[in-house]
Amino acid sequence: MSSQFGVLFRVSTWGESHGGGVGAIIDGCPPRIPISADEIQADLDRRRPGQSEIVTQRTEEDRVEILSGVFDRLTLGTPLSLMVRNKDARPEAYREIESAFRPSHADYTYQAKYGIRNWQGGGRASARETVGRVAAAAVAKKVLRQKVEGFEVLAFVKSIHRIDAVVDPSTVKLSDVEQSIVRCPDPDAASRMIDWIKTMRKEGNSVGGVIECVVRGVPPGLGEPVFDKLEADLAKAMLSLPATKGFEIGSGFGSTRMTGAEHNDPFEMREGRVRTRTNFSGGVQGGISNGEDIIFRVAFKPTATIMRSQETVTTTGEATELAARGRHDPCVVPRAVPIVEAMAALVICDHYLRHQAIS
Amino acid sequence: MSSQFGVLFRVSTWGESHGGGVGAIIDGCPPRIPISADEIQADLDRRRPGQSEIVTQRTEEDRVEILSGVFDRLTLGTPLSLMVRNKDARPEAYREIESAFRPSHADYTYQAKYGIRNWQGGGRASARETVGRVAAAAVAKKVLRQKVEGFEVLAFVKSIHRIDAVVDPSTVKLSDVEQSIVRCPDPDAASRMIDWIKTMRKEGNSVGGVIECVVRGVPPGLGEPVFDKLEADLAKAMLSLPATKGFEIGSGFGSTRMTGAEHNDPFEMREGRVRTRTNFSGGVQGGISNGEDIIFRVAFKPTATIMRSQETVTTTGEATELAARGRHDPCVVPRAVPIVEAMAALVICDHYLRHQAIS
Amino acid sequence: MSSQFGVLFRVSTWGESHGGGVGAIIDGCPPRIPISADEIQADLDRRRPGQSEIVTQRTEEDRVEILSGVFDRLTLGTPLSLMVRNKDARPEAYREIESAFRPSHADYTYQAKYGIRNWQGGGRASARETVGRVAAAAVAKKVLRQKVEGFEVLAFVKSIHRIDAVVDPSTVKLSDVEQSIVRCPDPDAASRMIDWIKTMRKEGNSVGGVIECVVRGVPPGLGEPVFDKLEADLAKAMLSLPATKGFEIGSGFGSTRMTGAEHNDPFEMREGRVRTRTNFSGGVQGGISNGEDIIFRVAFKPTATIMRSQETVTTTGEATELAARGRHDPCVVPRAVPIVEAMAALVICDHYLRHQAIS
Amino acid sequence: MSSQFGVLFRVSTWGESHGGGVGAIIDGCPPRIPISADEIQADLDRRRPGQSEIVTQRTEEDRVEILSGVFDRLTLGTPLSLMVRNKDARPEAYREIESAFRPSHADYTYQAKYGIRNWQGGGRASARETVGRVAAAAVAKKVLRQKVEGFEVLAFVKSIHRIDAVVDPSTVKLSDVEQSIVRCPDPDAASRMIDWIKTMRKEGNSVGGVIECVVRGVPPGLGEPVFDKLEADLAKAMLSLPATKGFEIGSGFGSTRMTGAEHNDPFEMREGRVRTRTNFSGGVQGGISNGEDIIFRVAFKPTATIMRSQETVTTTGEATELAARGRHDPCVVPRAVPIVEAMAALVICDHYLRHQAIS
């Protein structure tokens, strides 16, 4: 069950970075949703490697195939099987990690857990696993756009290392995000981020950053009391992504620096419905959406793979040094933007169906 | 399913703050674990209201009854049903919220979701719901202490509003935490926190804070790749708690300010096993425990219930003002300390059993 | 998870036959369903022991208490906790089975699985566990009656030992069933069954029988392709009941004696909708309801507890003899009638909600 | 979730009979189990169409590909993705069912449920869906053979239409089963069955039958009390197969014709462990295996597809007649033998892992 997500819109991903391919099954997709391989491809293309000079140069075509669940370009209500073949795998580049653990990677923990690992790449811990998530989420987004008027999910880079962007989440648009290769809608910050990432690459170093995500058009009432709160499932979704170290919703950690009198969101009537004047809650109260924009942030640590020699140990417990080779991102954050959107869409779609069940 | 947590050590909680009581069923507890009502009671007593001058004065005895699953003080392998009766409920104190929504509470969202709510208190959104979690976690901790040498989970207050404590998570002890009513092991900070909470209460205001939690003795190999990463399930567990706005593990959001060369944890051999020299990873790599201390932090917003008049709307959409009455915590953070420990124990126990299954 | 049933209308039962009590939590019940303890009690009274001269004389009042999830006699959408205290437990009657395994009971298998068992009665294997199922199903039936016009579930005794009843499942009514203490709507057969059960009791022996169940008013479209077929979930539900050995739907095992030309149900238009002329399918095709009556049968073996000396072994592996004492049913089938209805209702209610989710 | 089976050894199948292919993901497979595509292929070959003169002549090569989860011929602990491409699909043979519902098929119920169906064949209701189950079960059997000494699952044809075989389940061997194309180990009955199936085919008619299955070597203690009893999960597994109408374990429906004194299985010590003298229980008591052979039977109705004109209605509600074309089995029972074994293996493997978790 480690590779399944969702209660009713249930996604199962499979695939190692080096092997036959990667993919996903969606079980529980409503019937008669129009979907084509091209629409899924468009989302995959956004996360694909090799898109710009600041990301890995691995060149995967990532061509998706819909193997089942769709007939005459409409979903059947039965499982969709989505597959992408691995093409540009170069396992020989990983030969040195057959016998040593890369620091802050999952090499050691996989070995400890399973007593075996696919050392020809990152295996399931590779960012390549997210192909299946993005493909499945393309379908989830289509379901939501069919069923929920005004639904939109949009993520962007909020900071890279120590460079912070200024972005208004209530007005930012997809075109603002996509105008820079770093996916930061603040042009000035974007330009400095790109330079800095290039510098880091040159130094064989890496950086991380923060992604902010806004989900618009979510009706009041999605999410469940207690354990399956909307923010709890979003937190799980985001911390399930490689390289993430933190999640906060609405006011987040900053809320701890405020008093209740400052922080409470007063209710008021606007456009004939209950609204909040401020949105420190981040669109969720008591685990359930309140109709305001859902806003959250995710922390991505600096990429563990750096082109410098690092101290580590071998699989047999000898001290050694290891320097990465291969093609790696000096900063995964720009490519993680569509992945954050994907996970948010999976959470919302699942909760939408769950709410339908009792309505 | 909104009220269930865990895959194998599965806890189902029930109960509103005002009603017959609150409780939990544990399905999947291993057999022959010694447990008594007294041991569970000890944990409940730590989260109980009315313990000190800085928390709510609601005086619930919170006496737990084990209704099933235990025989001769040993678990049977069958479901444990744990029940606590509500005693000191004063529904009349809530009469005004029958017709108006408290700002930043779950009143509106429950109404939007269900078209009905138990307005005699916070219902399922009340912190009282956590009684069932703490009771169940007392059993989880007992399971872990029986099966995992050196297992210990310990949380403490790291900050209240703008007062930060200095605490070394690798050495802090339970007695350090419990020596102050604010559950902060830094005596100087603790004293200032207590004063400030009293000030806030006097002003009819409220504050939040950050809880840090360390889990010791977790063996390498717990947690699952991909969606059910240990940090993902911890994040979900913590964001499922009332009033939480953020979660971070290890270096957390701070990691985004570091480079990869600074952030990577070098491996080394120590005491005959693979260890990391630093612990920015927070005890988890690729979703799986690496044997180091698991360290995470949770942000709690300031309590929504404040004793001041606030703008809101009625259930029929009229503007109105509302001031809380009743007995409320000006700061929930000290009482949340054992609850954070409880959720951590539930996550670890569940993953321990999941790992056993494939071992 | 051994004690949970259902995907969306999820029931968790708890309780041993000798202990604090028995009960159930329902998680996922839709909101605003009118329900009272009296309605649940009415169903519990039908399964209660001590009702007639042909069943066990254990006299449990079985008074149900709704501890949560209901407010002003309407469901809240939150978990319902239903509890019944054990009253007339006489553990001393079971002292002899502390050290010996009753043949064809679960004593040995529980011991083998858990290394411990509550020998003061049947523990979780006791028919008393079904109290929680019946209580939960009373709520499920109320949900279905609110949402599905014409919904009705009705079971009856089809045979006892070698006495077969003649009953038309398409016309039989509850009053026909309840007019005899054996719950067989064929008066002549009923009278012979009662006599035979009394004879068996006198001889210290026991008998089983077959229960047939008809579910009316189920709309076309409930059930899922592949694993969660409606008949698959019904089969699981029925085989999860104590003392059951078989399940068949529609033509059942008899279908294997027919040819396809005889067995296929021709479609025709009737009352403006698609109907089948015959109903060998038993209301289900490809796992999904087709709008016809759902008809199935369940085989109950003769009660394992008999008042005769039987060969067995002790917990330490010595040959011994054991004769039951205590109060037992010479035939559980009449009391199982409402329990079969209960499980059918739980299956249909769960699939109703699942279908709602994608509609 | 309609396409998922198992709690810990979780199998998700996908694929329509006419589309890109069929397959399965296994999530939760233990690591370091030796497995190759050839071993899986051997099982697929047993269920493949076109093997003999009494089954459908559709000639699918059914070549399986392992896309993930295996490295150096050992399982990794991560999901196995198994895929078989569809090759010999002839959708044009199904054109007439685009507009009419085949009697006793799932055409109408799928249309009623989803408002859409893949009419180019049986879609998910086709026996072709079981390819994924058989492939996954090949892995499950390998897990069990690695972990459980003496594990074996063996099914055979017990009856076809009115021809009954005499088989001793405690001694029958795979070679006995495979010596006839009808998979009946009683040579005389087998020969008559084959003749009768040929007669039925010639007449454009079809027949069903009963499959008996024995599972050997299951240790005491597998299965769960209450809902997830071993027999309940077996019943669900079997009724989830196309064309099944009934399930019985051990004495089954025949138990209702016996008294308790006849039916109880006396315990005795044999070979140093607790055994039962008879096995009316069918290897399961109180839902948990007792170490004896697990024996059950499954009823398969006559194939719905017959080569005769049948009355039905069109999708727009007009009366019409329909005669099947295409390539179909006059009797699915022989090909269902390895599928019954497959489902039994999935149930046992899942319960084996579940039991491991609490051991």
Side-chain angles (χ1 to χ4, degrees):
Chain A
M1 289 136 327
S2 65
S3 291
Q4 302 201 341
F5 191 80
V7 171
L8 287 181
F9 191 90
R10 190 174 286 187
V11 174
S12 303
T13 71
W14 56 268
E16 276 79 41
S17 69
H18 294 72
V22 289
I25 296 179
I26 306 169
D27 197 5
C29 184
R32 301 187 314 279
I33 305 295
I35 191 78
S36 69
D38 287 350
E39 289 170 280
I40 298 172
Q41 194 62 52
D43 276 17
L44 286 177
D45 288 347
R46 284 186 75 211
R47 80 154 287 292
R48 203 150 49 87
Q51 305 160 47
S52 81
E53 52 188 329
I54 58 170
V55 299
T56 174
Q57 295 308 302
R58 178 168 173 167
T59 54
E60 286 285 0
E61 194 187 12
D62 281 357
R63 184 61 43 188
V64 71
E65 189 179 356
I66 304 178
L67 292 164
S68 68
V70 174
F71 184 66
D72 279 350
R73 301 173 76 96
L74 291 173
T75 58
L76 282 164
T78 58
L80 282 82
S81 178
L82 310 173
M83 178 175 69
V84 168
R85 293 276 185 183
N86 288 334
K87 290 278 171 61
D88 190 26
R90 301 190 194 160
E92 70 284 358
Y94 290 88
R95 176 63 62 177
E96 71 244 26
I97 66 169
E98 184 179 0
S99 56
F101 301 125
R102 291 172 293 169
S104 290
H105 267 279
D107 298 339
Y108 168 62
T109 53
Y110 271 59
Q111 190 71 39
K113 183 174 193 67
Y114 296 122
I116 186 175
R117 72 195 153 98
N118 181 342
W119 49 260
Q120 297 179 327
R124 288 294 278 165
S126 164
R128 188 148 184 78
E129 177 273 332
T130 61
V131 165
R133 309 189 192 206
V134 170
V139 181
K141 286 193 278 185
K142 203 68 193 294
V143 171
L144 286 164
R145 283 197 291 259
Q146 290 278 315
K147 307 250 181 190
V148 181
E149 169 134 9
F151 172 79
E152 185 185 22
V153 54
L154 187 61
F156 52 86
V157 170
K158 178 78 178 160
S159 70
I160 293 288
H161 203 202
R162 293 161 192 247
I163 304 166
D164 297 318
V166 178
V167 183
D168 180 351
S170 64
T171 57
V172 63
K173 297 189 307 294
L174 177 61
S175 56
D176 301 334
V177 177
E178 293 296 307
Q179 79 191 353
S180 84
I181 56 174
V182 76
R183 290 201 170 107
C184 174
D186 172 344
D188 175 58
S191 145
R192 285 184 291 133
M193 288 169 179
I194 293 166
D195 287 347
W196 188 241
I197 293 171
K198 289 181 187 168
T199 302
M200 286 294 102
R201 155 176 282 170
K202 229 171 295 166
E203 298 183 3
N205 209 340
S206 68
V207 285
V210 173
I211 290 177
E212 185 161 279
C213 182
V214 55
V215 193
R216 296 168 181 148
V218 177
L222 302 199
E224 302 277 335
V226 191
F227 296 115
D228 295 355
K229 288 184 164 77
L230 204 55
E231 61 266 41
D233 279 347
L234 285 168
K236 170 164 179 158
M238 298 309 147
L239 267 292
S240 81
L241 290 172
T244 54
K245 300 305 284 184
F247 168 88
E248 58 178 14
I249 190 158
S251 52
F253 278 88
S255 72
T256 67
R257 301 307 207 193
M258 300 169 75
T259 67
E262 292 160 352
H263 188 268
N264 283 352
D265 294 316
F267 284 115
E268 61 185 18
M269 297 303 292
R270 233 159 57 221
E271 300 138 28
R273 62 186 186 87
V274 175
R275 302 290 305 274
T276 66
R277 192 167 306 150
T278 48
N279 187 16
F280 292 115
S281 297
V284 183
Q285 287 171 332
I288 300 169
S289 61
N290 66 358
E292 305 298 322
D293 285 352
I294 294 174
I295 297 174
F296 62 86
R297 282 166 299 283
V298 188
F300 288 81
K301 68 170 186 175
T303 319
T305 306
I306 56 175
M307 303 293 134
R308 296 179 180 192
S309 183
Q310 298 179 88
E311 289 175 71
T312 187
V313 298
T314 66
T315 53
T316 52
E318 308 296 315
T320 187
E321 295 214 345
L322 198 63
R325 294 185 298 136
R327 301 149 296 167
H328 300 283
D329 295 270
C331 179
V332 297
V333 187
R335 284 182 59 209
V337 164
I339 303 171
V340 165
E341 293 174 0
M343 292 310 297
L346 291 181
V347 170
I348 304 294
C349 186
D350 189 43
H351 276 281
Y352 176 81
L353 296 183
R354 292 175 72 174
H355 185 63
Q356 276 292 105
I358 58 157
S359 295
Chain B
M1 292 133 327
S2 65
S3 291
Q4 302 200 341
F5 191 80
V7 171
L8 287 181
F9 191 89
R10 190 174 285 185
V11 174
S12 303
T13 70
W14 56 269
E16 277 79 42
S17 68
H18 294 71
V22 288
I25 296 178
I26 305 169
D27 197 5
C29 183
R32 301 188 313 278
I33 305 294
I35 191 78
S36 70
D38 286 349
E39 289 170 280
I40 299 172
Q41 193 64 50
D43 276 17
L44 286 177
D45 288 347
R46 283 187 74 212
R47 77 154 288 292
R48 203 149 49 87
Q51 303 159 2
S52 81
E53 52 189 329
I54 59 168
V55 299
T56 174
Q57 294 309 302
R58 178 170 172 164
T59 53
E60 287 285 359
E61 194 188 12
D62 281 356
R63 184 61 43 188
V64 70
E65 188 178 358
I66 303 177
L67 292 164
S68 68
V70 174
F71 184 66
D72 279 350
R73 300 173 77 97
L74 292 173
T75 59
L76 283 164
T78 58
L80 282 81
S81 178
L82 310 173
M83 179 175 68
V84 168
R85 293 276 186 184
N86 289 334
K87 289 280 171 60
D88 189 26
R90 302 190 193 161
E92 70 284 358
Y94 290 87
R95 175 63 64 176
E96 72 244 27
I97 66 167
E98 182 178 2
S99 55
F101 301 125
R102 288 172 295 169
S104 289
H105 268 278
D107 299 339
Y108 167 62
T109 52
Y110 271 59
Q111 189 72 38
K113 184 173 191 67
Y114 296 123
I116 185 175
R117 72 195 151 98
N118 181 342
W119 50 262
Q120 296 179 329
R124 288 294 277 167
S126 164
R128 188 148 182 78
E129 178 274 330
T130 60
V131 165
R133 309 189 193 207
V134 170
V139 181
K141 286 193 279 184
K142 202 69 193 292
V143 172
L144 287 164
R145 282 197 292 259
Q146 290 279 313
K147 307 250 182 190
V148 181
E149 167 132 11
F151 172 79
E152 183 186 23
V153 53
L154 186 62
F156 52 86
V157 171
K158 179 76 178 162
S159 71
I160 293 288
H161 201 203
R162 293 158 192 250
I163 305 166
D164 296 319
V166 177
V167 183
D168 180 351
S170 65
T171 56
V172 63
K173 298 189 306 292
L174 177 61
S175 56
D176 301 332
V177 178
E178 293 297 307
Q179 80 192 354
S180 84
I181 56 174
V182 76
R183 291 201 169 106
C184 174
D186 172 343
D188 174 57
S191 145
R192 285 183 291 131
M193 288 169 179
I194 293 166
D195 287 348
W196 187 240
I197 293 170
K198 288 181 187 168
T199 303
M200 285 293 102
R201 154 176 283 168
K202 229 173 293 164
E203 297 182 3
N205 209 340
S206 68
V207 285
V210 172
I211 290 177
E212 186 161 277
C213 183
V214 56
V215 194
R216 296 170 181 145
V218 176
L222 301 200
E224 302 276 334
V226 191
F227 297 115
D228 296 354
K229 287 183 163 78
L230 204 56
E231 61 266 43
D233 278 348
L234 285 168
K236 172 165 178 158
M238 298 307 147
L239 268 292
S240 80
L241 290 172
T244 54
K245 301 304 284 183
F247 169 88
E248 58 178 15
I249 189 156
S251 53
F253 278 89
S255 72
T256 67
R257 301 307 206 194
M258 300 168 76
T259 68
E262 294 160 352
H263 188 268
N264 283 353
D265 294 316
F267 284 115
E268 61 184 19
M269 297 304 292
R270 235 163 50 225
E271 300 137 31
R273 61 185 184 89
V274 177
R275 301 290 305 272
T276 65
R277 192 166 308 148
T278 49
N279 188 14
F280 291 116
S281 297
V284 182
Q285 288 171 332
I288 300 170
S289 62
N290 65 359
E292 303 299 320
D293 285 352
I294 294 174
I295 298 174
F296 62 86
R297 283 165 297 284
V298 189
F300 288 80
K301 68 170 186 175
T303 319
T305 306
I306 56 176
M307 303 292 134
R308 296 177 180 194
S309 183
Q310 298 179 90
E311 290 175 71
T312 188
V313 297
T314 66
T315 52
T316 53
E318 309 294 316
T320 186
E321 296 213 342
L322 198 62
R325 295 187 295 136
R327 301 148 297 167
H328 301 282
D329 294 89
C331 179
V332 297
V333 187
R335 285 182 58 209
V337 163
I339 303 171
V340 164
E341 293 173 0
M343 292 310 298
L346 291 181
V347 170
I348 303 296
C349 185
D350 189 43
H351 276 280
Y352 175 81
L353 297 183
R354 291 174 73 174
H355 185 63
Q356 277 291 106
I358 59 157
S359 294
Chain C
M1 292 134 324
S2 65
S3 291
Q4 302 200 342
F5 191 80
V7 171
L8 287 181
F9 191 90
R10 190 174 286 186
V11 174
S12 303
T13 70
W14 57 268
E16 277 78 42
S17 69
H18 295 72
V22 289
I25 296 179
I26 306 169
D27 197 4
C29 184
R32 301 188 314 280
I33 305 294
I35 192 78
S36 70
D38 287 348
E39 290 170 281
I40 299 171
Q41 193 63 52
D43 276 17
L44 286 178
D45 288 347
R46 283 187 75 211
R47 81 152 288 291
R48 203 149 48 87
Q51 302 160 30
S52 80
E53 52 189 329
I54 59 169
V55 298
T56 174
Q57 295 308 302
R58 178 168 172 167
T59 53
E60 286 286 0
E61 193 188 12
D62 281 356
R63 184 61 45 188
V64 71
E65 188 178 358
I66 303 177
L67 292 165
S68 67
V70 174
F71 185 66
D72 279 350
R73 300 172 77 96
L74 292 172
T75 58
L76 283 164
T78 57
L80 282 83
S81 178
L82 310 173
M83 178 176 67
V84 168
R85 292 276 185 184
N86 289 334
K87 290 279 173 61
D88 189 26
R90 301 189 194 161
E92 71 283 359
Y94 291 87
R95 175 62 63 177
E96 71 244 26
I97 66 169
E98 182 178 0
S99 57
F101 301 126
R102 289 171 296 168
S104 290
H105 268 278
D107 298 338
Y108 167 62
T109 53
Y110 271 60
Q111 189 71 39
K113 183 174 192 67
Y114 297 121
I116 186 177
R117 73 196 151 98
N118 180 343
W119 50 261
Q120 297 180 326
R124 287 294 278 165
S126 164
R128 187 147 184 79
E129 178 273 332
T130 60
V131 164
R133 309 190 193 206
V134 170
V139 182
K141 286 194 279 184
K142 203 68 193 295
V143 171
L144 287 164
R145 282 198 292 261
Q146 291 279 314
K147 307 251 181 188
V148 181
E149 167 133 11
F151 172 80
E152 185 185 23
V153 54
L154 186 62
F156 52 87
V157 171
K158 178 77 179 162
S159 71
I160 292 290
H161 202 205
R162 294 160 193 247
I163 304 167
D164 296 319
V166 178
V167 183
D168 180 352
S170 64
T171 57
V172 63
K173 298 190 306 292
L174 177 61
S175 56
D176 301 334
V177 178
E178 293 297 307
Q179 78 191 354
S180 83
I181 55 174
V182 76
R183 290 199 170 109
C184 174
D186 171 343
D188 175 57
S191 147
R192 286 182 293 131
M193 288 169 177
I194 293 166
D195 287 348
W196 188 241
I197 293 170
K198 289 181 186 169
T199 303
M200 286 294 100
R201 155 175 285 170
K202 228 171 294 165
E203 298 183 2
N205 208 339
S206 68
V207 285
V210 173
I211 290 177
E212 185 161 280
C213 183
V214 54
V215 193
R216 295 167 181 148
V218 177
L222 302 199
E224 303 277 333
V226 190
F227 297 114
D228 294 356
K229 288 184 165 76
L230 203 55
E231 60 266 43
D233 279 346
L234 285 168
K236 171 164 180 160
M238 299 307 147
L239 268 292
S240 80
L241 291 172
T244 55
K245 300 304 284 184
F247 169 88
E248 57 178 17
I249 189 157
S251 52
F253 278 87
S255 72
T256 67
R257 300 309 206 191
M258 300 168 75
T259 67
E262 293 160 353
H263 188 268
N264 282 352
D265 293 315
F267 284 115
E268 61 185 19
M269 297 303 292
R270 234 158 59 218
E271 301 139 28
R273 63 187 186 88
V274 176
R275 302 290 305 273
T276 65
R277 192 166 307 148
T278 48
N279 187 15
F280 291 116
S281 298
V284 182
Q285 287 172 332
I288 301 168
S289 62
N290 65 359
E292 305 299 320
D293 285 352
I294 294 173
I295 298 174
F296 61 85
R297 282 166 297 285
V298 188
F300 287 81
K301 68 171 186 174
T303 319
T305 306
I306 55 176
M307 303 294 133
R308 296 178 180 191
S309 182
Q310 298 180 88
E311 290 175 70
T312 187
V313 297
T314 66
T315 52
T316 53
E318 308 295 314
T320 187
E321 296 213 343
L322 198 63
R325 293 187 298 136
R327 301 148 296 167
H328 300 284
D329 295 270
C331 179
V332 297
V333 188
R335 284 182 59 208
V337 163
I339 303 171
V340 165
E341 293 173 359
M343 291 309 298
L346 290 181
V347 170
I348 303 295
C349 186
D350 188 43
H351 276 281
Y352 176 81
L353 297 183
R354 292 175 72 173
H355 185 63
Q356 277 292 104
I358 59 156
S359 296
Chain D
M1 293 135 325
S2 64
S3 291
Q4 302 200 343
F5 191 79
V7 171
L8 287 181
F9 191 89
R10 190 174 285 186
V11 174
S12 304
T13 70
W14 57 268
E16 277 79 42
S17 68
H18 295 72
V22 289
I25 296 178
I26 305 169
D27 197 5
C29 184
R32 301 188 313 280
I33 305 294
I35 192 77
S36 70
D38 287 349
E39 289 170 281
I40 299 172
Q41 193 63 50
D43 276 18
L44 285 177
D45 288 347
R46 283 186 75 210
R47 78 153 290 291
R48 204 149 48 87
Q51 304 159 351
S52 81
E53 51 189 331
I54 60 168
V55 298
T56 174
Q57 295 308 302
R58 178 168 172 166
T59 53
E60 287 285 1
E61 194 188 10
D62 281 356
R63 184 60 43 188
V64 72
E65 189 177 357
I66 302 177
L67 293 165
S68 68
V70 175
F71 184 66
D72 278 350
R73 300 172 77 96
L74 292 173
T75 59
L76 283 164
T78 57
L80 283 83
S81 178
L82 310 172
M83 178 175 67
V84 168
R85 293 274 185 185
N86 289 334
K87 290 281 172 59
D88 189 27
R90 302 189 194 162
E92 70 284 359
Y94 290 87
R95 176 62 64 176
E96 71 244 26
I97 66 168
E98 182 178 1
S99 56
F101 301 125
R102 289 171 296 168
S104 290
H105 267 278
D107 298 338
Y108 167 61
T109 52
Y110 271 60
Q111 189 72 40
K113 183 173 192 68
Y114 295 121
I116 185 175
R117 71 195 152 97
N118 181 343
W119 50 261
Q120 296 180 328
R124 288 293 277 165
S126 164
R128 189 150 182 77
E129 177 273 331
T130 60
V131 164
R133 309 190 193 205
V134 170
V139 182
K141 285 193 280 184
K142 203 67 192 295
V143 172
L144 287 164
R145 282 196 292 258
Q146 291 279 314
K147 307 251 181 188
V148 181
E149 166 132 12
F151 172 80
E152 184 186 22
V153 54
L154 185 62
F156 53 86
V157 170
K158 178 76 178 164
S159 70
I160 294 289
H161 201 203
R162 293 162 192 247
I163 305 167
D164 296 319
V166 178
V167 183
D168 180 351
S170 65
T171 57
V172 64
K173 299 189 304 293
L174 178 61
S175 56
D176 301 333
V177 177
E178 293 297 307
Q179 79 191 355
S180 84
I181 56 174
V182 76
R183 291 199 170 107
C184 175
D186 171 344
D188 175 58
S191 147
R192 286 182 292 133
M193 288 170 178
I194 293 166
D195 288 347
W196 187 241
I197 293 171
K198 288 181 185 169
T199 302
M200 285 293 101
R201 155 175 282 171
K202 229 171 293 165
E203 297 182 4
N205 208 342
S206 68
V207 285
V210 172
I211 290 176
E212 186 161 278
C213 184
V214 55
V215 193
R216 296 169 180 144
V218 177
L222 302 199
E224 301 278 332
V226 189
F227 297 114
D228 296 355
K229 288 184 162 79
L230 204 55
E231 61 266 42
D233 279 347
L234 286 169
K236 170 163 180 161
M238 298 307 147
L239 268 291
S240 81
L241 290 171
T244 54
K245 301 303 284 182
F247 168 89
E248 57 178 17
I249 189 158
S251 53
F253 278 89
S255 72
T256 67
R257 302 307 207 192
M258 300 168 76
T259 68
E262 293 159 354
H263 188 268
N264 283 352
D265 293 317
F267 284 114
E268 60 184 20
M269 296 304 291
R270 239 167 44 227
E271 299 138 30
R273 61 185 185 91
V274 176
R275 300 291 306 273
T276 65
R277 191 165 310 147
T278 48
N279 188 14
F280 291 116
S281 297
V284 182
Q285 288 172 330
I288 300 168
S289 61
N290 65 359
E292 304 299 320
D293 286 352
I294 294 174
I295 298 175
F296 61 86
R297 283 165 298 283
V298 188
F300 287 81
K301 68 171 186 175
T303 319
T305 305
I306 56 175
M307 303 293 133
R308 296 176 180 193
S309 182
Q310 298 180 88
E311 289 175 72
T312 187
V313 297
T314 66
T315 52
T316 52
E318 308 295 315
T320 187
E321 296 213 342
L322 198 63
R325 294 186 297 136
R327 300 149 297 167
H328 301 283
D329 293 271
C331 180
V332 297
V333 187
R335 285 182 58 209
V337 163
I339 303 171
V340 164
E341 293 173 359
M343 291 309 299
L346 291 181
V347 170
I348 303 296
C349 186
D350 189 44
H351 276 282
Y352 175 80
L353 296 183
R354 291 174 73 174
H355 185 63
Q356 278 291 105
I358 59 158
S359 293

